[in-house]
């Protein structure tokens, strides 16, 4: 037996795989698909719970990456198990989309400006009112530019840092750096 053939046999390969033409039809064995909910048969309650969990993951990852421009609809939790299975796949697809997108800190041209302003303001989790978070947002500012996050997480000191910057970027579109007059001057952006 040749050395090459003995290496193939040791590796668990047969030499017939090497001589079969590429055009030959081969039976493809697919790995068994995982059940939707960890059980052989899913109940509607289990699928609803799975959809809720997936949506929560999508929203959390979107906020953590500062991708607030991605709008997410509420999850559809009513319907048959087949409709809930489709809803589950919709949210799996959205999770993959959010994972694929570059985070705000990799795409925002003013990211360094915001980090400079943050360096002269409070910690990202600064809870001392009337200003909260790393960019020191008051309640009116949070309600105007980050109402969705205010409703979901509470005050800005509970928001992920990239979400705080994304909300500040919303305000920048309307007001520039004027809400941070002293620190923006210190950073040379105002």
């Amino acid at each position: 037996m040749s050395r090459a053939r003995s290496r193939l046999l040791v590796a668990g390969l047969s030499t017939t795989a090497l001589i079969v033409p590429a055009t030959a039809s081969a039976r493809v064995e697919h790995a068994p698909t995982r059940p939707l909910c960890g059980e052989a048969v899913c109940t509607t309650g289990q699928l609803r719970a799975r959809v809720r969990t997936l949506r929560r993951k999508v929203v959390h990852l979107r906020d953590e990456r500062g991708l607030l421009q991605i709008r997410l609809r509420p999850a559809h939790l009513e319907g048959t198990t087949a409709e809930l299975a489709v809803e589950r796949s919709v949210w799996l697809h959205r999770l993959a989309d959010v994972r694929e997108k570059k985070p705000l800190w990799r795409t925002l041209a003013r990211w360094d400006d915001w980090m400079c302003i943050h360096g002269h303001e409070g910690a990202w989790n600064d809870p001392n009112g009337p200003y909260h978070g790393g960019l020191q947002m008051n309640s009116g500012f949070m309600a105007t530019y980050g109402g969705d996050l205010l409703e979901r997480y509470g005050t800005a000191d509970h928001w992920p840092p990239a979400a705080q910057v994304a909300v500040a970027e919303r305000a920048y579109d309307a007001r520039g750096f004027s809400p941070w007059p002293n620190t923006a001057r210190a950073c040379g952006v105002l």
Side-chain angles (χ1 to χ4, degrees):
M1 183 181 316
S2 73
R3 283 186 179 176
R5 185 166 183 213
S6 64
R7 276 189 242 135
L8 286 172
L9 290 175
V10 169
L13 301 172
S14 96
T15 56
T16 56
L18 297 174
I19 59 173
V20 175
T23 59
S25 64
R27 191 172 82 181
V28 177
E29 302 254 345
H30 295 285
T33 57
R34 282 183 25 195
L36 297 176
C37 58
E39 305 289 329
V41 177
C42 298
T43 66
T44 54
Q46 289 170 322
L47 283 170
R48 278 189 196 106
R50 186 67 182 133
V51 168
R52 276 190 206 103
T53 300
L54 280 169
R55 185 180 190 283
R56 230 176 288 125
K57 281 183 181 180
V58 171
V59 169
H60 179 75
L61 184 61
R62 179 200 65 172
D63 294 349
E64 192 174 84
R65 290 177 166 221
L67 302 172
L68 302 184
Q69 74 277 12
I70 298 175
R71 297 284 179 214
L72 299 171
R73 66 168 173 74
H76 297 299
L77 299 172
E78 299 302 320
T80 65
T81 54
E83 292 168 333
L84 288 168
V86 168
E87 185 70 4
R88 176 190 170 271
S89 52
V90 164
W91 286 102
L92 279 171
H93 181 72
R94 290 186 187 209
L95 182 59
D97 285 347
V98 170
R99 283 183 177 151
E100 184 179 290
K101 295 234 185 256
K102 289 182 180 177
L104 184 65
W105 56 87
R106 297 208 29 218
T107 60
L108 185 63
R110 286 182 289 278
W111 184 263
D112 291 339
D113 298 337
W114 291 119
M115 291 305 101
C116 181
I117 290 172
H118 159 65
H120 294 287
E121 298 286 347
W124 291 114
N125 60 354
D126 183 2
N128 300 322
Y131 300 103
H132 300 271
L135 296 172
Q136 297 293 283
M137 302 175 193
N138 67 19
S139 58
F141 186 94
M142 288 184 280
T144 302
Y145 300 106
D148 50 338
L149 293 167
L150 188 60
E151 186 178 311
R152 188 174 312 114
Y153 298 111
T155 56
D157 52 305
H158 301 291
W159 303 353
Q164 292 181 43
V165 172
V167 168
E169 190 66 18
R170 286 177 182 169
Y172 177 86
D173 291 340
R175 301 169 58 188
F177 287 111
S178 64
W180 303 271
N182 297 329
T183 54
R185 273 192 205 89
C187 292
V189 294
L190 188 63

